[in-house]
Amino acid sequence: MKRIAVLTSGGDSPGMNAAIRAVVRTGISEGMEVIGIRRGYQGLVEGNFILMDTGSVSGIINQGGTILHSARSLEFKTPEGFARAVDNLHQAGIDGLVVIGGNGSQRGNYELHRQADFPVVGVASTIDNDLYGSDYTIGFDTAVNTALESIDRLRDTATSHDRIFIIEVMGRSRGFVALHVGIAGGAEAVLIPELPWTLEEVVDVIQRGYRRGKKSYLIVVAEGAAHGIQLAEQVEAATGYETRATVLGHVQRGGSPSAADRVLASQLGAYAVRFLKSGERGVLVGEQNECIVTTPLEEVWSKDKPLDPEMIELVKVLGA
Ligand code: F6P
């Protein structure tokens, strides 16, 4: 393998730059040329390629976002766009591709493997932590800590004003961020997309607390479980207690990566290159039980990563 390429795709996550750096520097140390593809799969379709050298990834390990930029490409999903992307890879003499991204990105990667038989590996990177095949994904730790910082601040106001705060965090279809942030922030309740909930249950948690003299509440909701602002209105109407909503939104996606994310990204990026070189392809590189492992991409996009039921129980017991 003489020339490999790397791209970042989907939602940016803190640590993507550390992963790019690891791919570039490991590739060069293994005697390969490394091409950076700008703007994810869209850049692949457009042939937006640059040659990376060791210096091109200097001073980025501490930066959030991605120096290669990202995009959610609709064109790559069309037969014409896909064919152009494959053609561009061949034209540029690229022998292998590393895709750093989450679920949607690894689905695209799988299609390159399945339809074009192109040597690809994926690197597990999304703040959502919802990739089957990796206990943790690059960016999750930072996103949880970013949300936690805001929640700690909101607790000050909730306590000072005897208020209920509904805090909406990211997670369209999975509740990993909400669950971790809820436990770490000492939330009274956490609503996640995976579990049905009712307004009555939320109100019940609040009323039980009030009977014990509790005056302030933090309720964390994943964006896919409830609309924070609407829920705050409903809770205030049902309880009569002052309720405010804060939607944390994209602040959770940016920022300097945590040490844990930098280390994970460095390991996954380096191993991705080594796996490609050793002939492994069509797999996601992730971490399980503190070991770097690979999982077939077909399993990655077709299976749901399970939530730990004990974490769900923990919220109920500790938030009571
Ligand atoms: O997948 C990462 C993520 O931040 C999700 O948590 C969120 O639902 C989504 O991306 C938001 O996407 P966009 O930045 O395209 O609005």
Side-chain angles (χ1 to χ4, degrees):
M1 196 157 280
K2 292 263 182 299
R3 180 180 281 189
I4 61 169
V6 56
L7 65 81
T8 49
S9 167
D12 62 322
S13 63
M16 274 183 161
N17 279 328
I20 295 169
R21 173 178 176 270
V23 170
V24 170
R25 293 201 171 161
T26 307
I28 291 170
S29 84
E30 299 276 351
M32 303 174 196
E33 269 184 351
V34 184
I35 306 291
I37 299 172
R38 287 203 186 99
R39 299 193 63 238
Y41 290 112
Q42 190 57 32
L44 191 53
V45 173
E46 292 165 359
N48 194 347
F49 299 170
I50 40 160
L51 183 64
M52 312 283 288
D53 61 16
T54 305
S56 68
V57 289
S58 287
I60 64 167
I61 195 164
N62 57 329
Q63 286 174 20
T66 158
I67 58 160
L68 287 176
H69 296 239
S70 189
R72 300 194 195 271
S73 171
L74 293 177
E75 212 179 341
F76 178 72
K77 292 181 180 161
T78 66
E80 302 74 31
F82 184 84
R84 259 215 314 283
V86 174
D87 197 42
N88 284 338
L89 284 167
H90 290 304
Q91 293 286 327
I94 293 165
D95 310 309
L97 174 68
V98 178
V99 170
I100 302 168
N103 253 320
S105 312
Q106 301 309 339
R107 175 71 208 261
N109 207 12
Y110 172 65
E111 292 306 327
L112 283 170
H113 167 67
R114 186 180 69 88
Q115 293 184 44
D117 193 24
F118 198 82
V120 297
V121 296
V123 167
S125 183
T126 162
I127 66 153
D128 295 335
N129 199 33
D130 60 348
L131 266 181
Y132 183 87
S134 197
D135 291 347
Y136 290 101
T137 57
I138 298 165
F140 175 66
D141 183 66
T142 308
V144 166
N145 280 295
T146 302
L148 187 60
E149 197 185 318
S150 300
I151 286 176
D152 287 347
R153 287 165 195 255
L154 292 170
R155 177 181 288 284
D156 293 344
T157 303
T159 312
S160 305
H161 287 262
D162 294 339
R163 275 180 187 164
I164 300 167
F165 265 88
I166 309 288
I167 302 134
E168 184 186 309
V169 298
M170 276 190 159
R172 265 192 297 232
S173 52
R174 302 305 309 269
F176 292 99
V177 172
L179 206 50
H180 280 247
V181 161
I183 290 175
E188 275 67 33
V190 177
L191 306 183
I192 54 175
E194 293 89 339
L195 288 180
W197 59 273
T198 62
L199 181 62
E200 289 66 36
E201 284 165 351
V202 176
V203 169
D204 187 52
V205 168
I206 295 163
Q207 302 291 28
R208 274 191 283 124
Y210 265 86
R211 285 198 287 275
R212 285 187 290 105
K214 204 171 172 56
K215 296 274 170 45
S216 64
Y217 292 81
L218 298 180
I219 296 174
V220 173
V221 304
E223 62 181 322
H227 190 269
I229 294 169
Q230 266 170 20
L231 180 61
E233 286 167 4
Q234 290 168 340
V235 166
E236 185 165 287
T239 61
Y241 305 130
E242 225 182 352
T243 308
R244 297 283 189 272
T246 300
V247 179
L248 294 183
H250 286 80
V251 295
Q252 295 156 98
R253 281 252 290 271
S256 182
S258 66
D261 276 330
R262 295 182 201 191
V263 172
L264 180 66
S266 301
Q267 289 178 307
L268 299 189
Y271 272 92
V273 174
R274 291 185 193 138
F275 284 128
L276 258 184
K277 195 180 176 200
S278 71
E280 207 162 339
R281 53 204 279 178
V283 293
L284 177 83
V285 184
E287 175 265 322
Q288 286 174 16
N289 301 319
E290 296 182 19
C291 294
I292 307 302
V293 296
T294 58
T295 306
L297 285 171
E298 187 171 9
E299 278 183 51
V300 171
W301 74 261
S302 62
K303 290 188 179 170
D304 277 341
K305 178 171 170 179
L307 270 179
D308 182 354
E310 284 184 21
M311 294 280 277
I312 297 167
E313 205 40 47
L314 203 56
V315 172
K316 288 187 191 148
V317 174
L318 302 184

